[in-house]
Amino acid sequence: MDNKTVIKGIRCPVARAVEVIGDKWASLILRDLFMQGPRRFQDFADSLQGISPNVLSSRIKKLLELDVIKTQQYSVHPPRNEYALSEKGEDLGDVIAGLRDWGIKHTRDE
């Protein structure tokens, strides 16, 4: 079975990858998951300064639909979920690390 995400109308593999993770907030959600492991919605809201709840919700939903992240239950009563990297998401480790390394080398904080 082919486990690839279908991105219609985009032939270039780089462009397809950017379509999945190229958004600022999606990349930062992935950063948090790589750095801190499974996170809850509020953890992301606290970490991602400036993101509205609606935007956070939509980015999480997109990453879930694309199977880059997954949910796992951390409480049965009441039922509560947290987000973790899927196998596809874990494959982005080198990409996120590369972005971090590039940022350290070529950008600076004011």
Side-chain angles (χ1 to χ4, degrees):
M1 176 203 261
D2 188 349
N3 188 8
K4 291 183 180 179
T5 299
V6 175
I7 306 292
K8 293 183 179 184
I10 303 176
R11 296 183 59 89
C12 173
V14 172
R16 289 193 310 264
V18 169
E19 184 68 23
V20 174
I21 65 156
D23 174 87
K24 168 187 172 178
W25 297 118
S27 296
L28 294 176
I29 288 168
L30 294 170
R31 174 209 61 189
D32 283 2
L33 290 170
F34 276 107
M35 290 178 58
Q36 301 168 341
R39 312 298 292 151
R40 299 173 185 171
F41 187 92
Q42 191 58 49
D43 296 330
F44 290 126
D46 292 342
S47 172
L48 304 174
Q49 295 177 347
I51 193 169
S52 72
N54 290 342
V55 170
L56 176 56
S57 181
S58 73
R59 293 316 183 273
I60 288 172
K61 182 179 177 183
K62 179 181 178 184
L63 291 170
L64 285 167
E65 289 171 354
L66 295 170
D67 193 31
V68 175
I69 64 174
K70 61 185 179 181
T71 59
Q72 52 193 36
Q73 195 172 50
Y74 70 86
S75 172
V76 177
H77 297 290
R80 301 263 191 237
N81 290 318
E82 62 187 2
Y83 304 96
L85 293 165
S86 68
E87 194 172 319
K88 258 188 208 179
E90 289 174 1
D91 283 347
L92 290 165
D94 290 340
V95 174
I96 300 299
L99 288 170
R100 179 203 60 219
D101 294 346
W102 189 91
I104 290 168
K105 185 174 181 179
H106 296 289
T107 66
R108 64 182 171 87
D109 213 357
E110 285 189 297

